[in-house]
Amino acid sequence: MRKNSRLQKLLYCVMAVLGAYILYKGGSLLAAGNQLQKALSDGSVQQSLEDSAMRTWATAYTATVEGKRSAGWFSQWIRQIAPVFSYAVDRVESESESENWNLAEDRSGEVKQVESETEYGSISDASENTSLEQTYLQGEQDLKNQEGNEGQAENQELEPLTELITEEELDADMTAQETAVGTIFSQALPQLLDFSYLLSNIYSVDADTRADAELLDAGELLSMDLSLEQDSSVPQILIYHTHSQEAFADSVEGEVSDTVVGMGEVLSDELRAYGYNVIHDTGVYDLVDGVLDRSAAYDYARASIGAILEEYPTIEVIIDLHRDGVDGSEEDFVTEIDGEAVSRIMFFNGLSRDANGEDISWLPNENRKENLAFSLQLQVLANAEYPGFTRKIYLQSERYNLHLRARSLLIEAGTQLNTVEEERNAMAPIANLIRQILA
């Protein structure tokens, strides 16, 4: 029998809870000043403290009950909250020296500074705000207006729409889009180089893994060239579903189009509309002999996806589309884009790394950096173009077959609380973001 009596164990628990509570409330009291309070609110620091306390609670409880030393879990929590307080202090010190700005092009083409409207600053570019279809329609309308003004509508013929946009103009449009994406990255980078800010605002790190500043080097990740030379004659994008049975709040049972597989087809069509040759694999990997089994689904999927990649080696982009399972209310997982209700999405990365920060030797991933770059670039672009569309990137310990290609992506699109329509509405923004990163 251990020396610790039940009373001692109870006292240890009470001391642990009180200690965590005092540290937490102490940090909150220090934030009483307006500037520091603003930093805390902006950086979600209080939430980070709560998350840190919850992550170490299980360890603390086990240590107390088993009579082990508490130094390990206590020092672990201190290490977690130290960067958070550091971030708050840094924000206060820099408050008087810098403000968030974003760039917008005016009609004359000159660049002017305007106050930031999103978490990272948004970029307004005329070439991005006008799609090719809008350009065609505008050209047609201009001609009609000209005919009306001159009173010669009966005698003039409209120039074919396909001739309104020349190949040079299309190239210029794509170049402008690439420039805009690069500008968004450069505007976001100063904040993202602050590792504590990165952890508070961009990532959610699961307790079973560990991410450091070297792994999540925003400067390196945003500078990686993930563009893909488009060739519609061969497959370049593969979409599949490790968990094919995931459905939504109002899905009709047995209706595949109402499941995540149906959403994969919608996303495939959106990307095809941009000129990509997309393969949509509808294989079932989480249902074995009629029994739902998600524990081995990644192994089953890996074998099948490997065969597809062997048959089509031109595939460079792999998307594993999921639907998340969450607690909470539907309002927390829906946003609005262009007047439509849209389910929020979350990018997900497996780090192949344990809670001590050590690589998991039996889950090697030589494409880990590129995987992280892909999700971060999409996240930063989404925050600029569709504020509120993405949740924080979730980092887990395992690999999730993301090692199969450098441009591998796992997306949790919506939740079981979202409707089928909200899910469908999310596919177009996802496709647009992917297109811009690959352009």
Side-chain angles (χ1 to χ4, degrees), residues 137 152-153 157 180 213 219 226 259 261 273 290 322 341 354 358 390 393 435:
L137 295 177
Q152 299 175 350
E157 293 183 359
L226 299 177
T259 69
V261 176
H322 289 248
D354 62 24
E358 300 293 332
T390 55
I393 300 172
R435 171 190 66 87

Side-chain angles (χ1 to χ4, degrees), residues 45-113:
V45 178
Q46 283 188 322
Q47 184 62 49
S48 297
L49 289 174
E50 293 172 0
D51 291 345
S52 298
M54 289 303 296
R55 289 175 187 172
T56 53
W57 167 246
T59 310
Y61 178 81
T62 302
T64 303
V65 171
E66 296 184 359
K68 296 179 181 179
R69 295 180 60 190
S70 303
W73 65 263
F74 185 76
S75 61
Q76 178 185 349
W77 193 59
I78 290 298
R79 285 196 301 272
Q80 289 189 40
I81 66 170
V84 177
F85 278 116
S86 174
Y87 162 69
V89 173
D90 290 343
R91 286 296 306 273
V92 172
E93 291 178 349
S94 61
E95 183 73 23
S96 61
E97 299 176 2
S98 63
E99 296 179 4
N100 292 331
W101 299 89
N102 70 328
L103 294 176
E105 289 187 1
D106 58 15
R107 294 185 177 180
S108 65
E110 297 178 354
V111 177
K112 61 182 180 180
Q113 289 183 323

Side-chain angles (χ1 to χ4, degrees), residues 16-42:
V17 173
L18 287 177
Y21 181 77
I22 290 171
L23 284 173
Y24 170 68
K25 294 303 291 184
S28 300
L29 290 174
L30 289 174
N34 290 336
Q35 286 188 320
L36 188 54
Q37 185 64 43
K38 179 181 178 182
L40 286 173
S41 176
D42 187 50

Side-chain angles (χ1 to χ4, degrees), residues 344-362:
R344 300 182 67 197
I345 69 170
M346 180 176 72
F347 301 119
F348 187 107
N349 283 101
L351 298 184
S352 298
R353 176 180 283 196
D354 62 24
N356 296 319
E358 300 293 332
D359 288 343
I360 301 176
S361 59
W362 47 277

